[in-house]
Structures are given as C-alpha cells and as structure tokens.
Amino acid sequence: MRIGVMLRHYDQHMGGVRVYTHKLLQALLELRSGHQFVLLYRNPALLGTHAADPQVEEVVLPARSFLGWDQVAVPAAVRQHGIDLLFNPKYSIPLRGRCPSVWVCHGLDWYVMPWASRFVDRLSHRFLIPRYASKADGIIAVSETTRGHVMEYLHVPPERVATVYSGVDDVFRRPIDESRLREIRAKYSLPDRFLLYAGAIYPPKNFARLVQAYARVGPERGIPLVVAGGENRFLSEREIGEPEALGIAEWVRRPGWVEHEELAGLYALAEALLLPSLFEACPLPLLEAMASGCPIVTADRYGTKELAEGAAVLVNPEDVESIAGGMRRVLDDGALRTEMVAAGRQRSREFTWRRCATETLRVFERIRPEAGQVPGHANGLVSAAFPKS
C-alpha cells in the first residue's frame, strides 16, 4: 500500500502534536511493514529528511494557504503519486476525492470549552472539523476520552473511531547518571529542589491557577517553580504574567524549551510535575514524567484522569486550594511519593511508539484490507483501554 502522509505541520511550533508526528513517523518507518510512504511537505527545506529510506518518497507541495494545500495540492498529489490511503497525523483531509483517509484527533477541547479558542479557530471547528470527520474513513483518537468526544460532538459512529494511545520516548525510561544530572542542573541553574511545569501555555493548561496554588506552597518552603517551555501559544498573555502579578516572580525560573534528553533530567530532578489542566486528551508530559519516575499532581478529569488515576495525585483544577493541597501531599508524604513513582513507571510501560505505530497501521489495513496486515495482528479498529496497574 502507498500511504500518503500529510506533513504541512511537520515543522510547526514546539509542542505535543509536533513530537507525536515525528515520533510516530519514525516508528512507522522502523516497522519495515512492506508499505511505501509518500511524505507530503509544504516546506521545501524538509526535502531530503528521509531520503535514505527506500520505503519513502518525498514530495514538496507549494501552496499559498493552508486550505489551498489541503484541498487542492494534496488531492492532486494523491492522483499523481498513486496514493492508496491518505493519513494526516493532525487533523484536516481533502474534502473531495475518492482516496480513503484517516486523521488523528488530539482532543476536542474546542467543543468542551469553546471559550478557550480564538475566534478564527472556532470558525474552523464549527465549519471544517465536522466535515473532515464526516469524510474520513477512520479517525484515530489519542485516548478513550477523545474517542467519546469524537462520537458525541462530531457524531461519528463508533466503528469509524479507533483509540490508539501516544507513545513515550525511551529517553525518559533510561537511568541518568549523577554526573549528567549535575551538568543539566548547572546548565539550567536549577535549585536543589523545585516543582516543574512542562509545555506551552494556553487556556486549557490552567496556568494562572497553577501559579496561584504554587504561591501558597512553594515560596514558604523555599522551593522554586521551573517552567520548561512556557511560551504563550494563544490567549494567555495575562496568565504568563501571573507570577509578577502575585509578587513571586523571583521564585519562578523560565529556562524555555528543553530538548528531550535534558528534559528527562529535569523530570528526574524535580520534586513533582504540576499539570492541573482544565482539559487534556493524552498529555505527553504526563507520560514522560511517569516514565522518568517523577511524581505528578494533575487534574481529576478527562485525559489526565484516564491516564494517571492511581499513579498520580489528582486534584480539582478549578479549585486553587485543591491544587495547593495536592502539592503539599506530594511534597510531604514520602510513602505516597514512592507509591506514585512505582505506579507511574509501571503504567508508562504501556505507552510505546512502536505500539502506537503498529496499531495505527492496523487502522489503515482495516480500511484497505486488500493491502495485508501487520504481522501478528488481526484487522479491526482498536478501542481498548490500556490495562491499569
């Protein structure tokens, strides 16, 4: 089967969808499944990224706009390059054409909390996303929470939605020796003890309440907050300034984006990861922290509860004191920390990019059964939750 992969977002802003796309594509190619992959880029600078792989054909599709690329350039490429199935690791697919298509839904916070989206995005979510959902032969949901939302909000029948969880990079599972940890601590001027937030900042991340809760716990104990990433993706200008508004700016360190190898060191050194989001679907920082043996304080709802219940301290993300109480528990209760770390490591073993790639190919082969199947797997859409520890 010739699988076309839509990659106009391959070099987009840093964050979970970019990591997902890179890691999934790498794992798909490593499976050596016998399929051919036609990688469709918008940025000419990406040409040659996978040139050495005989499974891969790379194509640059110029277009003046996102819609022009999706709806004009991609369908033309499908015809020209004999693509049998079209896959977008983000969302959006051509609305015309007969080529079977699959796209990945990374969460529907746009529907759950529409006030947290920009106006232009709300237009897309109202008029385009339902059409992509109706047109697709299959939709991959990154969690059972997301699968339920796709059926509820986009009215997609269950047989067309598969749950395939994201993976976590093995760099987060590997032990880091003390000398390397000292190097990372020195590079980022990390204190002896700190609490960690990792990711971009936008309304579902609930950053203002996180900081308000931290202000009740961290400074009095002499424990700074380290914000790795921390850029404003949209609508969070005021939230980013919350430490200054509360007069605790000197307690908040902002190292910026940290590459995976060194981010694993931050998880290993941190007292806990703080992720009390209002909404998450399948948050990579949660999986990374569990694999790294970092205790977690996270929200008692949606994807964070689905992934972390029993392996993290769950809090009410709309209640500042609940978040603060979760921080106190994870800092003060050594037995709880030990229990959470062990449970998190065990839970994280279920999330590998190889498993994600294998189950993604299974979805493709269910749609195009004449192309064969991944060895050792039966055809059929996947919708089984991971086993809980």
Side-chain angles (χ1 to χ4, degrees):
M1 174 165 45
R2 287 175 62 78
I3 301 168
V5 186
M6 297 172 64
L7 294 172
R8 70 168 164 81
H9 67 286
Y10 198 63
D11 54 347
Q12 73 168 24
H13 56 74
M14 300 297 292
V17 174
R18 177 172 173 168
V19 171
Y20 175 95
T21 300
H22 283 247
K23 294 299 180 180
L24 174 59
L25 181 58
Q26 177 184 343
L28 285 168
L29 297 178
E30 288 174 354
L31 286 177
R32 301 299 181 201
S33 61
H35 300 302
Q36 290 294 119
F37 293 85
V38 183
L39 308 186
L40 307 176
Y41 304 130
R42 188 182 183 201
N43 182 356
L46 294 173
L47 196 63
T49 303
H50 295 277
D53 194 326
Q55 306 171 94
V56 170
E57 178 181 346
E58 296 180 303
V59 179
V60 174
L61 306 177
R64 293 185 178 181
S65 68
F66 289 172
L67 277 176
W69 195 88
D70 289 350
Q71 304 303 326
V72 179
V74 169
V78 167
R79 295 189 297 270
Q80 182 179 352
H81 296 276
I83 290 170
D84 299 309
L85 181 139
L86 191 61
F87 173 55
N88 192 342
K90 199 174 180 181
Y91 64 85
S92 83
I93 52 173
L95 294 175
R96 294 186 178 183
R98 297 182 179 179
C99 182
S101 58
V102 177
W103 57 271
V104 179
C105 183
H106 293 276
L108 289 180
D109 50 294
W110 329 312
Y111 291 91
V112 176
M113 43 187 298
W115 56 267
S117 296
R118 295 170 294 192
F119 177 72
V120 65
D121 292 328
R122 291 200 297 271
L123 290 177
S124 171
H125 304 153
R126 180 175 179 182
F127 295 107
L128 289 176
I129 301 299
R131 288 168 173 79
Y132 299 147
S134 177
K135 178 69 166 59
D137 295 85
I139 297 174
I140 290 174
V142 296
S143 62
E144 281 291 293
T145 295
T146 304
R147 183 172 185 265
H149 286 160
V150 168
M151 293 186 290
E152 176 183 358
Y153 293 108
L154 300 179
H155 311 295
V156 179
E159 63 270 16
R160 286 204 291 118
V161 192
T163 298
V164 179
Y165 291 98
S166 302
V168 60
D169 198 311
D170 285 341
V171 71
F172 297 103
R173 307 183 202 277
R174 291 194 287 267
I176 307 173
D177 63 49
E178 288 300 321
S179 62
R180 181 59 180 143
L181 288 176
R182 286 194 295 270
E183 290 174 4
I184 294 171
R185 191 186 294 278
K187 178 176 179 178
Y188 294 103
S189 301
L190 300 174
D192 290 340
R193 302 180 71 197
F194 63 91
L195 293 161
L196 177 66
Y197 171 84
I201 297 174
Y202 46 102
K205 295 295 185 179
N206 204 28
F207 187 71
R209 287 194 185 96
L210 182 158
V211 173
Q212 292 162 15
Y214 165 78
R216 300 182 183 187
V217 178
E220 70 179 20
R221 295 166 182 246
I223 303 176
L225 172 65
V226 173
V227 179
E231 69 177 15
N232 171 30
R233 184 166 296 171
F234 57 84
L235 299 181
S236 289
E237 294 87 351
R238 292 183 64 181
E239 288 192 90
I240 284 180
E242 191 68 13
E244 288 75 16
L246 295 176
I248 60 167
E250 70 273 18
W251 288 99
V252 180
R253 314 287 178 85
R254 300 177 186 266
W257 285 101
V258 179
E259 293 300 324
H260 272 185
E261 182 184 351
E262 295 180 336
L263 182 58
L266 265 66
Y267 288 127
L269 292 167
E271 298 293 309
L273 173 72
L274 307 180
L275 196 70
S277 304
L278 294 172
F279 183 94
E280 298 279 0
C282 183
L284 292 182
L286 198 80
L287 301 180
E288 293 163 358
M290 287 196 293
S292 300
C294 179
I296 298 165
V297 177
T298 193
D300 62 356
R301 60 196 64 181
Y302 302 121
T304 49
K305 181 179 181 180
E306 179 181 338
L307 269 61
E309 187 172 24
V313 175
L314 301 185
V315 299
N316 178 354
E318 297 179 90
D319 184 337
V320 172
E321 184 51 38
S322 177
I323 302 170
M327 294 182 197
R328 295 186 189 102
R329 287 185 65 199
V330 82
L331 289 171
D332 296 342
D333 190 334
L336 176 66
R337 288 175 60 84
T338 299
E339 178 185 342
M340 293 296 98
V341 166
R345 286 191 188 277
Q346 180 65 30
R347 183 76 49 79
S348 73
R349 293 174 186 168
E350 302 294 330
F351 301 94
T352 69
W353 287 113
R354 182 177 181 84
R355 175 178 173 174
C356 181
T358 300
E359 294 183 354
T360 297
L361 275 180
R362 191 193 304 177
V363 173
F364 299 165
E365 292 166 349
R366 166 65 179 83
I367 291 168
R368 293 296 305 263
E370 71 277 11
Q373 63 186 53
V374 182
H377 290 273
N379 285 331
L381 291 188
V382 182
S383 183
F386 57 90
K388 295 284 184 77
S389 303

